[in-house]
Amino acid sequence: MAHDTTTRDKRRDDAPDRTGGAAAETAAGRLDREIAGLDALELGGGTRVRLLQRTWSALWPILTAVLIAIAAWQAVVWSGWKEPWVLPGPRDTFPVFWDQITSSRFWNSVALTMQRAVIGFVFAVVVGLVIGALVSQFRVLRRAFGSLITGLQTMPSIAWFPLAILLFKLSESAILFVVILGAAPSIANGLIAGVDYTPPILLRAGKVMGLRGIGLYRHLIMPASLPSFVAGLKQGWAFAWRSLMAGELLVVIGDTTSLGVLLSQARELNNTADMISYMLVILIIGIVIDRLFGLADASIRRRWGVAEN
């Protein structure tokens, strides 16, 4: 009985401690949640600030370059080097530019040009992937076609048009043919360079893990060569865009109207302001696509841990 009494007294003495401990744990948990909420709020604000800083840091160099280019353009006009009807200034060109981009005919032309560009670039990517994958994996093909691919890459796209017109006449196929030949070698070389610079230790590790053939290429070599491949895609797009503009100036198909056709018509009619407006649109499209490739490249570098988040 004495032992039971002592046990009950001890339990009564421990009960306040357990109650106080539970209350302390509850208060500590509440405090942790409040601190976490404050941290989340602070981090959210910091994220928004960093986003604004990134946006501004990306925009101000572009805006500065545009302002410098416009100032240089105006300075050339003020110098009197050419007559205003030959080389109009920004004040005379920008109203024409605005009239052009607000017309339906202009946007129909842009749509046709972009359709050709996307289709040609997609075919070039497929061709470049196949050629790059084969050449990078087989030494015989590397010796046979490695220099040829580089030679095709350096060949001016406009040199292909006489042959393209002879083979396909004045048709969409002629333009597509030259766009593919202009872009595919750069894409293939980008993939080949990425495969060549894949660390050998990664290849050995992949083979130890059982990767062979297509599996090794798909799960290891392609991800490892992705940065170089994206650089090849970016360069391939530049060649495809230049080839397309040359093709639209040389190959006029029926009554279709594209950016190249509008540019050619403005030149024939000596409408320099219209011509410069179309050139500005071509330049802007090129810059926008370049920025998209830049975003893709930055995302890849962040995933690889070689760029700041």
Side-chain angles (χ1 to χ4, degrees):
M1 293 294 293
H3 176 72
D4 294 341
T5 302
T6 303
T7 302
R8 287 195 298 271
D9 293 342
K10 184 176 181 181
R11 288 175 180 174
R12 284 195 299 270
D13 293 338
D14 291 342
D17 294 338
R18 289 197 297 270
T19 303
E25 291 177 358
T26 303
R30 187 182 301 111
L31 181 60
D32 290 340
R33 287 193 298 272
E34 292 176 354
I35 292 175
L38 292 175
D39 289 342
L41 181 61
E42 182 178 356
L43 290 174
T47 302
R48 286 191 292 270
V49 170
R50 287 196 299 270
L51 180 60
L52 292 175
Q53 290 176 345
R54 286 179 182 175
T55 303
W56 174 244
S57 64
L59 285 178
W60 78 260
I62 299 175
L63 295 176
T64 303
V66 169
L67 293 176
I68 292 174
I70 293 174
W73 178 11
Q74 185 62 59
V76 172
V77 173
W78 281 338
S79 69
W81 177 55
K82 294 293 183 181
E83 296 295 330
W85 64 271
V86 176
L87 182 62
R91 186 171 57 182
D92 298 325
T93 302
F94 287 146
V96 176
F97 174 77
W98 177 255
D99 292 338
Q100 294 294 344
I101 65 174
T102 54
S103 64
S104 59
R105 181 171 181 262
F106 168 80
W107 287 110
N108 291 334
S109 302
V110 172
L112 177 59
T113 296
M114 294 306 300
Q115 178 183 346
R116 290 171 173 172
V118 171
I119 293 174
F121 185 66
V122 169
F123 276 103
V125 169
V126 174
V127 174
L129 269 174
V130 173
I131 294 175
L134 292 175
V135 171
S136 63
Q137 290 301 303
F138 299 101
R139 293 183 181 273
V140 175
L141 294 178
R142 173 71 67 90
R143 296 192 187 101
F145 297 104
S147 299
L148 178 61
I149 294 174
T150 303
L152 291 174
Q153 181 179 351
T154 59
M155 188 171 179
S157 300
I158 198 170
W160 288 106
F161 274 101
L163 177 62
I165 294 173
L166 182 63
L167 294 174
F168 302 102
K169 303 188 184 310
L170 297 178
S171 64
E172 296 284 347
S173 299
I175 298 176
L176 185 64
F177 175 76
V178 176
V179 170
I180 294 173
L181 284 177
S186 297
I187 297 171
N189 272 336
L191 180 58
I192 293 169
V195 173
D196 288 345
Y197 284 95
T198 301
I201 190 172
L202 289 181
L203 298 176
R204 290 195 294 268
K207 292 177 180 178
V208 168
M209 296 174 65
L211 293 177
R212 294 290 187 278
I214 297 178
L216 178 66
Y217 203 87
R218 176 185 175 186
H219 297 291
L220 193 148
I221 295 178
M222 278 298 292
S225 61
L226 196 56
S228 294
F229 181 56
V230 171
L233 288 176
K234 183 177 179 180
Q235 190 178 43
W237 167 261
F239 280 106
W241 188 239
R242 293 195 309 179
S243 302
L244 177 60
M245 290 299 103
E248 289 188 343
L249 286 171
L250 294 175
V251 180
V252 180
I253 303 169
D255 58 350
T256 58
T257 304
S258 62
L259 277 176
V261 172
L262 292 177
L263 187 62
S264 179
Q265 291 175 351
R267 177 187 59 82
E268 292 173 356
L269 298 174
N270 290 329
N271 291 333
T272 311
D274 288 354
M275 187 170 60
I276 294 176
S277 298
Y278 299 135
M279 293 171 62
L280 289 175
V281 171
I282 294 170
L283 176 64
I284 291 171
I285 293 175
I287 292 174
V288 170
I289 300 298
D290 177 77
R291 294 301 301 169
L292 293 178
F293 277 112
L295 292 175
D297 180 67
S299 176
I300 292 172
R301 289 193 288 122
R302 282 196 298 268
R303 291 186 62 182
W304 279 56
V306 294
E308 295 183 358
N309 293 323

